[in-house]
Amino acid sequence: MLKTAFSFLLLLACMATAWAQTEVPTAKEPEVLFQGEVNHGFYLAPSLQLTRFHDKSGFMVGGRAAWLMNHKVAIGLAGYGLTTQTNIGEIEETNNAFLQVGYGGALLEYIPEPDKLFHLTFPLMVGLGGAAYTDNFSDNQNTGNYSYEVYDTDAFMVVEPGVQAELNLARFMRLGLTFSYRFTHGVSLPKTSDKDLSTAALTLTAKFGRF
């Protein structure tokens, strides 16, 4: 009996020793997009865009604001507003209506080789916009009547991918020329549809920030 108890205690001691010597597996590190220390930066970028509405050329002004990670990925906001008067002619409320357009949303930009003097970037904007028929504000200014009447409005979704050729002018400044295509969905005005707002655009952008 004593011999059996001693053997049992010896077996328990061996098992405890083996358990103590067993390495506890370390927790597996999760896979992440950015390994190691992340470098942060930012930029602000006023922009001038040449595009077309109703088969007429027009200018939009706007800009971008983005947070940079590891010099290569930018996440931010972008937006544009039409500055050129686009006459669409007669509608039910008036015989001289003008189209106004603005849109904006989230910006994602990938910059594969940011350190090269001349390089490409790939911006993508996804957001919402609005279109409206209004009276001629310039004519109202000439006559001294500063009323601004809106006849009809509509909202739409917009997706605008592009490719940008960018030049590093200084450590804090970059100049880019972007070719993009604007896809719109949901435009339903009497004389304006998605096909009238979905078109190519050429945008000149000056970036200022910490790259």
Side-chain angles (χ1 to χ4, degrees), residues 30-156:
E31 295 182 358
V32 295
L33 183 61
F34 301 102
Q35 295 285 350
E37 184 178 354
V38 178
N39 182 278
H40 299 280
F42 72 93
Y43 70 75
L44 301 174
S47 302
L48 177 65
Q49 184 180 96
L50 174 63
T51 186
R52 293 180 68 82
F53 295 103
H54 280 277
D55 295 324
K56 299 176 182 177
S57 297
F59 285 101
M60 304 189 81
V61 296
R64 309 174 190 171
W67 166 43
L68 277 167
M69 291 174 287
N70 284 353
H71 312 285
K72 292 187 175 183
V73 177
I75 299 175
L77 299 171
Y80 302 93
L82 180 63
T83 60
T84 305
Q85 290 191 338
T86 303
N87 192 321
I88 60 168
E90 184 177 354
I91 60 174
E92 183 178 349
E93 294 85 353
T94 180
N95 60 0
N96 195 31
F98 290 80
L99 176 68
Q100 302 290 342
V101 179
Y103 65 93
L107 171 70
L108 178 64
E109 184 177 14
Y110 178 56
I111 312 156
E113 299 176 306
D115 294 329
K116 287 193 173 182
L117 177 65
F118 179 81
H119 55 270
L120 297 178
T121 81
F122 301 91
L124 170 67
M125 197 201 74
V126 180
L128 299 172
Y133 292 161
T134 70
D135 60 358
N136 189 343
F137 184 62
S138 294
D139 284 350
N140 289 341
Q141 288 180 318
N142 294 334
T143 60
N145 179 9
Y146 292 96
S147 65
Y148 187 69
E149 188 170 358
V150 178
Y151 302 117
D152 203 351
T153 63
D154 199 10
F156 57 87

